[in-house]
Amino acid sequence: KQEVTQIPAALSVPEGENLVLNCSFTDSAIYNLQWFRQDPGKGLTSLLLIQSSQREQTSGRLNASLDKSSGRSTLYIAASQPGDSATYLCATISTDSWGKLQFGAGTQVVVTP
Amino acid sequence: GAVVSQHPSWVICKSGTSVKIECRSLDFQATTMFWYRQFPKQSLMLMATSNEGSKATYEQGVEKDKFLINHASLTLSTLTVTSAHPEDSSFYICSAPDGAGVEKLFFGSGTQLSVL
């Protein structure tokens, strides 16, 4: 069974610093890996989706890498802003579990002005 | 773009009552709907998968008689928490792919359930 772990559980940085969020997974037979943002009491916003054949994806200040062989993904957020404060979740879809996301517990990020 | 509308956003109910949560797909047909729940400080966990016109598939440990799922149309799936108890208090959220692939999953805005 796939297990997804996110480290650290919480992170606080001053505005302007770069953020590095880590995600590891135990089963490399994934279809894709996604990073989401979750604001308190709200739904999920999809940030980046990396297919199993890809090494990275970029969108604006966000960059996510994927290393299937080592079971790791990293989300980089450049020049953090207070508006980036949220919980960031990574999730995988395994090749034998169509559409079923396996989530990590998330990293709670606080960016202080 | 495709949207999944989830209602209510939050609900407070007394122990023993039933609560219905609705997820509607707007501008697309959701033949499949995934239902997740999230306890405080924990990760989102898949509860069940509903398919239009057929019985839902429940994950291990999820009571199908307590969490009734109905997916009677291509645009509406409902989750009913029957005889809710305080331990059912959680954040419930639905998700649907908009086509044959799973590259794009659309999420509802979630429902925060508090059972007194």
Side-chain angles (χ1 to χ4, degrees), chain A residues 1 31-32 34 36 38 41-44 46 49 51 89 93 98-106 108, chain B residues 32 34 36 38 41-46 49 59 91 93 97 99-103 105 107-110:
Chain A
K1 180 185 175 183
Y31 184 76
N32 64 41
Q34 301 181 56
F36 296 89
Q38 183 177 28
K42 295 185 179 179
L44 304 181
S46 179
L49 183 153
Q51 300 287 7
L89 305 172
I93 292 180
W98 186 87
K100 298 178 182 179
L101 287 161
Q102 187 69 40
F103 285 89
Q108 186 175 12
Chain B
T32 299
F34 300 101
Y36 294 84
Q38 183 181 35
K41 304 296 183 183
Q42 295 186 27
S43 60
L44 283 153
M45 296 294 291
L46 181 67
T49 304
E59 297 299 304
F91 182 73
I93 192 167
V102 294
E103 295 187 7
L105 290 165
F107 284 83
S109 54

Side-chain angles (χ1 to χ4, degrees), chain A residues 15-105:
Chain A
E15 181 177 3
E17 270 200 17
N18 297 329
L19 287 163
V20 180
L21 309 179
N22 297 300
C23 172
S24 62
F25 48 94
T26 56
D27 185 358
S28 62
I30 61 171
Y31 184 76
N32 64 41
L33 183 145
Q34 301 181 56
W35 283 93
F36 296 89
R37 169 185 172 137
Q38 183 177 28
D39 293 284
K42 295 185 179 179
L44 304 181
T45 302
S46 179
L47 298 175
L48 290 168
L49 183 153
I50 312 176
Q51 300 287 7
S52 62
S53 58
Q54 298 175 323
R55 299 282 290 182
E56 68 175 347
Q57 278 289 334
T58 298
S59 176
R61 295 184 293 112
L62 276 60
N63 174 278
S65 65
L66 174 64
D67 184 342
K68 269 182 44 177
S69 61
S70 66
R72 294 179 183 176
S73 177
T74 303
L75 177 66
Y76 301 90
I77 303 177
S80 61
Q81 304 169 357
D84 294 329
S85 298
T87 296
Y88 292 83
L89 305 172
C90 74
T92 63
I93 292 180
S94 297
T95 54
D96 62 350
S97 301
W98 186 87
K100 298 178 182 179
L101 287 161
Q102 187 69 40
F103 285 89

Side-chain angles (χ1 to χ4, degrees), chain B residues 29-73:
Chain B
Q29 294 181 331
T31 56
T32 299
M33 190 74 74
F34 300 101
W35 287 92
Y36 294 84
R37 67 180 169 186
Q38 183 181 35
F39 294 108
K41 304 296 183 183
Q42 295 186 27
S43 60
L44 283 153
M45 296 294 291
L46 181 67
M47 295 176 64
T49 304
S50 72
N51 293 290
E52 186 268 336
S54 63
K55 290 184 178 180
T57 302
Y58 291 81
E59 297 299 304
Q60 190 173 8
V62 178
E63 300 175 58
K64 63 179 182 180
D65 294 330
K66 181 170 185 61
F67 299 98
L68 301 180
I69 291 176
N70 185 285
H71 197 152
S73 78

